[in-house]
Amino acid sequence: MKERKNVYKLPSGDKTLEWYSKAVAVMKTRPATDPTSWYYQAAIHGFYASNPFWSGVGTLPPLSERDTYWERCQHQSWYFLPWHRMYLAYFEQIVAQAVADLGGPTDWALPFWDYSEISNPERLDIPAAFTTPNDDSNPLWMPGRNNQVKAADTVLTALDIDFYTTLSNGMTGFGGPVTTFHHGGGYSGGLESLPHNKIHVDIGGAMGDPDTAGLDPIFWLHHANIDRLWQVWLNLGGNRHNPTKSDWLDFSFDFHDKDRKPVVIQNKDVLDTRKVLSGYTYQGVPVKNTEPVVESTKKLVRRFVPPLDIVAASDKAHELTKTGAQLSLELSPSRAKATALKSAGLLERAGDKKHILLRFENIKGTGIAPVYSVYINASDKDGNKQANYAGSIALFGLERASTSDKHHSGSGLNEQLDVTDLIAHLRTLPNWDEKKLDISIKPDREVGDKVTVSIGRISLYSE
């Protein structure tokens, strides 16, 4: 059984990345019609012929084949985690076969990039093998990417979520909302939102767009970490378990194996990593609690899901300029008079806080936007201070989600931040105003000339 190891804990002299580089070089020589080629594997996630990163791809497979195997990525969906696990497993199998054919080890395994390990001072750096040399002579190099991730929001807050599926009132689940086959639009699950989307967008380049992300060799180490975090979450126990519904367990996807043979695999086949293809584990992560648990047999009290009421909303779309945007949300007079947010989300009920969500709806635009940090009631004087930080939004797939086609409605992306604790803190301050909230949205990096972002509505919801 293989062990996927932390890329920053590979021992001195280890050749895992060297063999990866050699295998990638071989895969890049194969035509895009070959299911084991670099381009075919990347196109499984996304493909857009006019994107410059796809220039020179050559002859494409027949359209009927592309409709079955290409552009299959699952985002803003409860299939996000199992689909990417399958995708990763078959990719690893193909790379491992290339490594073995080159005379390398027969047990090669994909490493993972743990950018959240605080004790590692290098955790935010893309490993040197991917950046040096920084030209086409290096099969692991890609132009246009940022080689260091900014530190904000690489902490694993998603692990605190104790339910897999997004609730009916919109409270974010760890794994995402119930959907059918889905490519984007809607709200991301907790792990997908952060750190998944954050890492993609902050690296930028090919990684910043779902249609090109798989072309960047660092994509696969990033997703190995996301896959690892699914198991880390399950290991925390409590109510953390996989869905039990047949709509999730029995849903299947199409891939090719290392021998180029078509395969069909169901979600229930990938719950235990030790049983996925030849099996694998993650360094330092035991495999526990993989089987779905029917709540009645576990004697869990069914969670009451209170509805969310709208407290405030913007009355127009907001364009994000080079410096972002600032606006005020006026609280509904009747709502403010009746509860003034005191009981609308800040008092405790039976030991549970009433949640307050800040939502950004119908986000449309062009280009690869940077990550945006959001602050509440941050004055010009104290600006970006952490006490006012609400979280960040990473608009992965912005341009395609803004375009109506066979995979997207064109309604754009949606993001939300749980601001329960922040609002509770701000209410204790002397400058708190019960009638309005000031929202600041600031880009974490310089905004490119071709980037446009418009937010259709910004709203505040509370239980």
Side-chain angles (χ1 to χ4, degrees):
M1 184 177 301
K2 296 180 178 181
E3 182 182 57
R4 293 180 180 173
K5 297 180 179 179
N6 187 334
V7 70
Y8 274 113
K9 291 185 178 179
L10 296 175
S12 177
D14 184 273
K15 296 185 180 297
T16 298
L17 294 182
E18 182 179 332
W19 284 113
Y20 182 39
S21 179
K22 292 178 179 180
V24 170
V26 168
M27 291 172 68
K28 286 182 176 180
T29 66
R30 298 169 182 169
T33 53
D34 182 342
T36 69
S37 73
W38 186 256
Y39 303 102
Y40 196 109
Q41 286 296 301
I44 293 172
H45 192 271
F47 174 75
Y48 198 50
S50 63
N51 190 295
F53 282 107
W54 282 104
S55 63
V57 65
T59 302
L60 302 180
L63 182 59
S64 59
E65 181 177 346
R66 302 203 310 266
D67 283 344
T68 302
Y69 297 103
W70 283 23
E71 297 186 77
R72 302 288 93 185
C73 65
Q74 298 295 293
H75 291 285
Q76 290 86 53
S77 164
W78 64 342
Y79 301 132
F80 167 72
L81 288 170
W83 185 88
H84 282 85
R85 175 168 286 180
M86 300 169 190
Y87 184 34
L88 210 63
Y90 284 109
F91 173 81
E92 180 182 58
Q93 186 189 66
I94 290 167
V95 174
Q97 184 62 56
V99 169
D101 291 345
L102 289 167
T106 57
D107 61 348
W108 185 90
L110 188 70
F112 64 90
W113 175 25
D114 186 359
Y115 29 73
S116 299
E117 187 180 16
I118 304 299
S119 61
N120 176 15
E122 297 179 305
R123 66 188 176 92
L124 300 177
D125 297 332
I126 292 179
F130 293 79
T131 62
T132 306
N134 60 342
D135 55 43
D136 288 332
S137 68
N138 180 359
L140 302 184
W141 174 79
M142 282 290 287
R145 63 154 100 107
N146 296 308
N147 291 330
Q148 185 180 64
V149 177
K150 289 185 176 290
D153 277 332
T154 55
V155 293
L156 302 177
T157 54
L159 297 180
D160 296 332
I161 302 172
D162 68 349
F163 48 96
Y164 183 97
T165 307
T166 295
L167 302 181
S168 58
N169 67 359
M171 288 296 298
T172 302
F174 179 80
V178 175
T179 60
T180 54
F181 193 95
H182 193 69
H183 286 285
Y187 292 93
S188 297
L191 187 66
E192 182 181 4
S193 180
L194 294 171
H196 172 267
N197 291 352
K198 153 81 178 179
I199 297 299
H200 269 287
V201 172
D202 205 32
I203 290 175
M207 273 284 279
D209 185 337
D211 290 328
T212 56
L215 290 168
D216 191 331
I218 198 61
F219 168 94
W220 305 94
L221 276 71
H222 167 42
H223 270 279
N225 193 48
I226 296 299
D227 184 60
R228 178 185 71 94
L229 291 172
W230 181 10
Q231 186 60 60
V232 170
W233 180 78
L234 288 170
N235 289 352
L236 292 174
N239 196 38
R240 294 170 177 83
H241 58 77
N242 291 317
T244 60
K245 293 184 177 181
S246 60
D247 290 350
W248 188 81
L249 292 170
D250 297 337
F251 204 87
S252 62
F253 296 97
D254 297 281
F255 293 92
H256 287 91
D257 66 13
K258 64 181 176 60
D259 298 317
R260 302 174 176 83
K261 295 179 180 178
V263 291
V264 178
I265 186 168
Q266 294 178 303
N267 289 343
K268 62 186 176 185
D269 297 326
V270 299
L271 303 185
D272 187 334
T273 63
R274 297 168 299 184
K275 300 176 182 179
V276 179
L277 303 186
S278 60
Y280 64 92
T281 59
Y282 283 102
Q283 184 178 24
V285 181
V287 179
K288 299 188 295 184
N289 304 324
T290 60
E291 294 301 317
V293 177
V294 179
E295 292 190 357
S296 60
T297 65
K298 204 175 180 186
K299 298 181 180 180
L300 293 175
V301 177
R302 182 167 295 277
R303 180 188 299 272
F304 172 67
V305 183
L308 296 180
D309 294 328
I310 190 166
V311 177
S314 59
D315 58 1
K316 62 179 181 179
H318 288 271
E319 303 287 336
L320 299 189
T321 67
K322 296 282 188 180
T323 58
Q326 303 220 16
L327 65 140
S328 292
L329 286 182
E330 302 294 333
L331 303 182
S332 168
S334 60
R335 183 72 173 175
K337 182 177 179 180
T339 63
L341 280 182
K342 290 180 181 179
S343 62
L346 302 173
L347 301 181
E348 293 188 341
R349 177 189 65 247
D352 293 326
K353 293 178 180 177
K354 293 184 179 181
H355 289 89
I356 300 178
L357 303 178
L358 182 61
R359 289 181 173 170
F360 304 85
E361 303 168 80
N362 302 120
I363 309 171
K364 299 181 181 181
T366 58
I368 299 175
V371 175
Y372 289 90
S373 291
V374 179
Y375 304 89
I376 296 179
N377 291 357
S379 68
D380 292 337
K381 184 177 180 180
D382 53 25
N384 294 352
K385 94 178 171 183
Q386 196 65 24
N388 298 83
Y389 178 66
S392 65
I393 54 176
L395 308 178
F396 186 51
L398 172 68
E399 187 162 327
R400 290 302 300 275
S402 304
T403 306
S404 178
D405 58 23
K406 66 179 180 179
H407 293 315
H408 304 89
S409 68
S411 61
L413 298 172
N414 297 299
E415 296 286 336
Q416 71 179 15
L417 302 173
D418 189 328
V419 295
T420 307
D421 292 337
L422 175 59
I423 296 292
H425 165 70
L426 294 178
R427 286 195 67 252
T428 67
L429 302 180
N431 63 345
W432 171 257
D433 186 343
E434 295 281 1
K435 297 181 180 180
K436 70 181 179 71
L437 292 179
D438 294 324
I439 310 296
S440 299
I441 306 170
K442 298 179 180 294
D444 286 3
R445 296 186 187 271
E446 183 178 353
V447 180
D449 291 336
K450 296 182 179 180
V451 172
T452 64
V453 180
S454 173
I455 303 176
R457 189 171 84 153
I458 301 173
S459 52
L460 194 70
Y461 283 79
S462 171
E463 292 178 356

